[in-house]
Amino acid sequence: MSLDTLPRATRNNHRRVRPPGRRWASRFDVKGMPYALVSPYFILFAAFGLFPLAFTLYYSLYDYDLAGTTEWIGLGNYTALLGDDDFWRAVINTVGMFLLATVPQMLLALFLANALNKRFRFRLAIRMSVLLPLVTSVVAVAVVFTQLFARDWGLVNWILGWFGVDPFNWRAERIPSWIAIATMVDWRWTGYNAIIFLAGMQTIPRDLYEAAAIDGASRRRQFWQITLPMLRPTLIFVVLNSTIGGLTLFSEPTTFYNGNVDGGSQGQFQTVAMFIVKEGFREFDYGYAAAAAWLLFLLILIGAAINFLFVRRIGGTK
Amino acid sequence: MMISKRRGGLAAASVLAAAALTVASCGSGGGASQSSAPASSGAAEPVTIRVQTFGGGTNFGYKNAITKWNAEHKDIQIKEEHLTDQFEQQYWPQMIQWLTSGTGAGDVVGIDEGGMGLAKAHPEWWADLKEFGLESRKADFPAWKWENGVSADGKLFGLGTDIGGMSICYRADLFKKAGLPSERDKVSALWPTWDEFMKVGQQFQGKVKDTKWADGTNTLYQVYLYQEAAKNGNVTYFDQQNNLIVDKNPAVKSAFDFASTMSQQGLTAKLRNFTDEWAAGTQKGAFATVGCPSWMLGVVSGNAGDGGKGKWDVAAVPGGGGNWGGSWLAVPKQSKHPKEAAMVADYLTQAQTEASIFTDFGNMPSNTKAQQDPAVQGAKNEFFNDAPIGEIFAKSASSLQPVFLGVKHAQVKNAIESVIQGMDDGSVPYDKAWQQLVDDAVKAAG
């Protein structure tokens, strides 16, 4: 891009015709206006992104009781957190639920997108319909799933009963609670990811498939050898997006336990985000919660890095 | 696309920005889920006083009282905001956020006894009701109920609403099914002690399979704890100097042992009170008994709905009296209409109002004039098969002792209940539960 050269030329032209008083305005027009035009984002970002970020970092170094005193303790909150079993339990829950939710979600979304990427009747309507779960409110989703996964009169336990499986106590047993929440997350987000995959798939040139078909490659082979490698940039985006979403999981597990951030009687499904809210706003230990928020940020960076390295290898790069 | 050096810097900044936004969004995760309150109305229109309450079923029982006020006062309208069923886990933390941030709280807010320690320690949150002449109400309340609404520096911030008292709510129809007596006097005679209560429970469990004897460990644990507290200096988790005494107070250990035994004998439906599943269980007949302070009558009848009418009844509690629960109304300093709010708080705690709340819903008045009202003394509750609730609760109301609760009572109570619930739902082994209860209480108090 060579945007720089063009304005300079225009400015030189104007210098001759325009009186000097207008020069400043014109200069601003050229030099300043682009920044003014993009500034709303940065102003908003500074107010709602940067400031809370700095504020959180600042208070993570304090023993800050929301309903009491403030005292500087340096890295005390961080060392305490690293020795806090409850925090680690929340980390394991978060990562566990993330894996349980994301792996099937990615596969499902891929196959769904692949199926939607063909020619059939009512294509648009059906493609739109996979987005429907996303527009339903998370509370409505949680209410329905809470009933489905109820211990006493829930549909899931009832169906499991047909196969002679003892009813699960979905809110008291750790792995079953993760599964229930992962199902909730998947129901909501699979269609969304499928649509993004579909968009990615449509950018792949048709003639690649035609050539492959002529060479005798089956549909399945085409999917693995053409679609998947060509889709890598989209995959990276979706996986990173899901990593961020999955590791900050909050609404589903909270509504699953009556809006309570404890996540089960013994924190069976308490995520790090819930832990932060609990420490900050229920125990009023704001500094501790702020430190936990920063550790969650680190966790997301690590998670994103691992996934990025993993996804980059997908689809036949040597 | 060619990227010049300066743009590269910009690009890097925006990547950082995006990453930072992620953090910001998780940091504010709690804030996002909280609803923000609407601004108060202008001076020309009628003043709307927002009354914020908590609790299941019919909660504070203000429905009829508010309808009556609104019909008579066109200039001041009351709007009740029932925020949540759960006090410790949701209502109180939210309220603290509003109070510390200076915006969001209603004009009149309900406070459970468990929050009063903290409320008293922060007089700066509250309007002084003395300024609106409410000092004159002192004679209406028992001394302890009045004094608990006065902060450390002498500010009158809270007026008493209801008080606890004790009973057992039970399903007469299920008792019949199990071949037990179902009339309330005979039922009361079945269980003079808690041991006998559990024995009857086993008999019941032997006959009826799909229904459990009790709702869970929690309501009966609380009833038991408050009875024992009365025998141990009227303290539970904290002593009068706000030191944690969970491991030293025999009342806590014996209440814990009782809950543990109930659970090990398989007498509980493993439901935690004030959850949706508990409410559904009340409606569907998942359990036959609930520990019932007076205000729990409204909760049970509200949860059970009309279908439960006549099936439920009220019997005496094993092991004598006790005082679990009861609330206060306070006016936050941030209220734009403190004068009108004080008038509403005054109205809602008047003898006449508290008496009608008792007869309509069952919440026992703390107002002594209301307690002596013949209509209260002779009150019967239609939902509970016309049980003489005046006789059951009002007669003993004057003898109720206040239980001291510390500044961090709400947090410690939640931690302890979670362990007891965990023991019941199988996530904490019985033999490790006591140690964990003590550890978690220490952590919550810290």
Side-chain angles (χ1 to χ4, degrees):
Chain A
M1 227 198 278
S2 56
L3 263 175
D4 277 1
T5 53
L6 184 69
R8 204 169 292 139
T10 338
R11 195 175 58 202
N12 288 343
N13 286 342
H14 285 191
R15 190 175 285 169
R16 271 176 236 125
V17 239
R18 288 212 175 157
R22 286 190 144 181
R23 242 167 67 192
W24 185 86
S26 146
R27 266 183 77 140
F28 174 79
D29 213 27
V30 172
K31 286 243 163 188
M33 202 39 108
Y35 292 101
L37 289 175
V38 296
S39 66
Y41 167 77
F42 289 96
I43 291 169
L44 281 176
F45 168 69
F48 296 104
L50 216 53
F51 172 71
L53 201 67
F55 189 74
T56 310
L57 182 62
Y58 176 73
Y59 275 113
S60 73
L61 305 174
Y62 282 86
D63 181 9
Y64 179 17
D65 184 344
L66 210 53
T69 49
T70 309
E71 189 190 337
W72 166 268
I73 50 166
L75 292 176
N77 281 325
Y78 291 93
T79 49
L81 264 175
L82 294 177
D84 187 343
D85 292 342
D86 291 355
F87 176 71
W88 287 112
R89 188 187 55 211
V91 170
I92 291 167
N93 288 347
T94 310
V95 174
M97 276 186 261
F98 165 67
L99 291 176
L100 267 178
T102 310
V103 175
Q105 187 186 26
M106 288 300 123
L107 295 175
L108 262 174
L110 259 180
F111 292 125
L112 194 61
N114 196 41
L116 289 173
N117 196 21
K118 302 193 169 91
R119 292 179 175 281
F120 52 87
R121 299 183 90 193
F122 312 118
R123 207 164 28 165
L124 188 66
I126 291 171
R127 282 178 184 171
M128 294 297 282
S129 69
V130 302
L131 268 178
L132 270 184
L134 194 72
V135 267
T136 48
S137 101
V138 65
V139 178
V141 175
V143 166
V144 172
F145 277 79
T146 303
Q147 308 247 354
L148 292 179
F149 287 102
R151 186 195 63 193
D152 291 333
W153 301 282
L155 185 71
V156 179
N157 271 345
W158 185 57
I159 292 173
L160 287 177
W162 297 349
F163 305 99
V165 181
D166 283 338
F168 286 106
N169 190 351
W170 296 100
R171 278 165 200 76
E173 296 171 53
R174 208 168 184 201
I175 304 294
S177 72
W178 293 4
I179 294 173
I181 291 161
T183 322
M184 227 185 286
V185 175
D186 284 350
W187 189 81
R188 220 166 114 78
W189 292 102
T190 305
Y192 170 79
N193 287 332
I195 291 292
I196 296 177
F197 282 142
L198 179 61
M201 283 177 186
Q202 300 204 324
T203 64
I204 302 171
R206 290 272 138 206
D207 41 358
L208 281 178
Y209 292 101
E210 279 160 25
I214 291 167
D215 286 347
S218 66
R219 283 277 196 176
R220 177 175 302 191
R221 181 102 193 248
Q222 289 174 23
F223 175 75
W224 290 108
Q225 303 285 59
I226 301 172
T227 312
L228 215 50
M230 297 290 281
L231 204 60
R232 211 179 323 140
T234 318
L235 261 174
I236 290 175
F237 168 75
V238 168
V239 167
L240 289 188
N241 221 0
S242 304
T243 308
I244 294 166
L247 294 180
T248 53
L249 189 66
F250 179 80
S251 309
E252 281 89 350
T254 306
T255 24
F256 193 59
Y257 199 53
N258 259 282
N260 185 340
V261 288
D262 278 337
S265 61
Q266 295 304 305
Q268 288 90 333
F269 48 93
Q270 185 185 52
T271 64
V272 180
M274 292 159 84
F275 177 87
I276 293 169
V277 173
K278 175 181 173 248
E279 291 298 333
F281 298 114
R282 221 177 66 204
E283 311 293 330
F284 308 132
D285 203 345
Y286 193 83
Y288 201 58
W294 271 91
L295 289 183
L296 176 62
F297 178 45
L298 273 183
L299 182 71
I300 292 171
L301 283 186
I302 295 167
I306 292 172
N307 277 323
F308 178 71
L309 292 176
F310 174 72
V311 176
R312 221 174 48 160
R313 301 174 68 92
I314 278 183
T317 29
K318 277 108 216 167
Chain B
M1 168 164 134
M2 264 172 55
I3 297 179
S4 74
K5 234 180 186 168
R6 211 174 58 203
R7 288 217 185 77
L10 211 67
S14 56
V15 167
L16 260 176
L21 263 179
T22 328
V23 178
S25 67
C26 57
S28 64
S33 73
Q34 320 292 355
S35 60
S36 60
S40 64
S41 54
E45 305 156 40
V47 174
T48 302
I49 296 300
R50 297 186 300 134
V51 178
Q52 288 171 334
T53 58
F54 55 89
T58 58
N59 58 86
F60 277 50
Y62 283 163
K63 202 173 140 232
N64 301 344
I66 290 177
T67 313
K68 188 164 167 251
W69 169 281
N70 284 346
E72 291 166 7
H73 299 79
K74 288 293 160 214
D75 52 333
I76 304 172
Q77 292 286 297
I78 305 179
K79 187 167 151 265
E80 185 178 13
E81 292 174 2
H82 172 245
L83 298 178
T84 162
D85 288 0
Q86 301 174 4
F87 179 79
E88 290 92 6
Q89 296 121 328
Q90 290 175 14
Y91 178 90
W92 194 228
Q94 172 71 81
M95 191 58 71
I96 304 301
Q97 276 179 62
W98 284 337
L99 291 170
T100 47
S101 69
T103 173
D107 301 292
V108 177
V109 303
I111 310 171
D112 178 79
E113 59 172 13
M116 287 303 278
L118 188 64
K120 280 173 86 153
H122 288 273
E124 76 276 10
W125 290 343
W126 312 110
D128 191 350
L129 299 178
K130 276 183 196 156
E131 286 174 19
F132 308 106
L134 295 186
E135 180 80 352
S136 62
R137 299 290 312 280
K138 191 169 182 177
D140 290 354
F141 298 94
W144 63 268
K145 190 82 184 176
W146 178 261
E147 273 149 26
N148 216 6
V150 178
S151 67
D153 61 352
K155 182 186 263 186
L156 173 66
F157 72 96
L159 288 180
T161 60
D162 56 335
I163 49 175
M166 296 288 188
S167 74
I168 300 282
C169 296
Y170 71 98
R171 282 279 298 262
D173 59 326
L174 294 174
F175 272 50
K176 234 177 249 165
K177 198 172 154 194
L180 294 166
S182 62
E183 277 172 51
R184 70 183 70 90
D185 292 340
K186 286 183 188 155
V187 169
S188 302
L190 283 176
W191 52 54
T193 68
W194 286 105
D195 281 341
E196 275 152 310
F197 178 81
M198 284 192 277
K199 266 185 209 135
V200 182
Q202 279 157 340
Q203 273 176 34
F204 177 91
Q205 220 68 91
K207 291 273 170 54
V208 180
K209 297 289 173 216
D210 51 349
T211 296
K212 288 295 182 182
W213 176 239
D215 57 334
T217 38
N218 196 15
T219 60
L220 291 168
Y221 162 81
Q222 293 293 345
V223 168
Y224 197 104
L225 175 67
Y226 281 98
Q227 280 182 355
E228 290 297 308
K231 297 172 197 162
N232 290 282
N234 280 318
V235 289
T236 57
Y237 305 139
F238 291 90
D239 67 13
Q240 307 267 1
Q241 285 75 44
N242 261 314
N243 300 310
L244 190 72
I245 49 161
V246 168
D247 52 339
K248 297 185 199 79
N249 187 353
V252 182
K253 182 67 164 73
S254 52
F256 164 82
D257 287 340
F258 164 71
S260 176
T261 315
M262 285 252 306
S263 172
Q264 290 185 56
Q265 290 184 356
L267 296 174
T268 64
K270 304 182 195 298
L271 296 169
R272 186 171 183 162
N273 54 349
F274 301 118
T275 63
D276 292 340
E277 294 203 304
W278 181 69
T282 314
Q283 204 173 57
K284 295 187 180 174
F287 46 82
T289 63
V290 184
C292 263
S294 65
W295 47 265
M296 192 71 96
L297 298 184
V299 178
V300 170
S301 61
N303 283 342
D306 286 340
K309 208 172 193 172
K311 289 181 184 162
W312 284 91
D313 211 324
V314 186
V317 72
N323 185 11
W324 166 22
S327 299
W328 281 258
L329 290 180
V331 176
K333 194 165 233 171
Q334 59 186 261
S335 167
K336 297 232 167 48
H337 312 287
K339 187 167 156 273
E340 289 84 355
M343 281 167 70
V344 168
D346 183 39
Y347 163 72
L348 290 172
T349 53
Q350 286 293 343
Q352 213 186 349
T353 318
E354 288 200 357
S356 72
I357 290 168
F358 180 67
T359 49
D360 291 347
F361 302 106
N363 305 33
M364 182 68 220
S366 64
N367 189 314
T368 44
K369 284 178 190 150
Q371 288 167 9
Q372 285 144 19
D373 187 334
V376 167
Q377 296 270 345
K380 290 184 189 306
N381 191 307
E382 202 191 340
F383 180 89
F384 289 89
N385 198 20
D386 285 328
I389 55 170
E391 212 167 288
I392 296 169
F393 295 108
K395 291 254 159 84
S396 63
S398 56
S399 66
L400 287 184
Q401 294 287 314
V403 175
F404 176 83
L405 306 171
V407 173
K408 285 225 165 191
H409 178 83
Q411 285 95 330
V412 172
K413 175 173 183 265
N414 185 55
I416 285 179
E417 280 178 8
S418 288
V419 175
I420 291 175
Q421 172 63 27
M423 176 173 81
D424 201 27
D425 70 26
S427 45
V428 181
Y430 289 111
D431 55 339
K432 298 208 173 89
W434 174 251
Q435 191 52 48
Q436 192 176 337
L437 182 148
V438 174
D439 292 347
D440 286 6
V442 169
K443 204 167 174 180

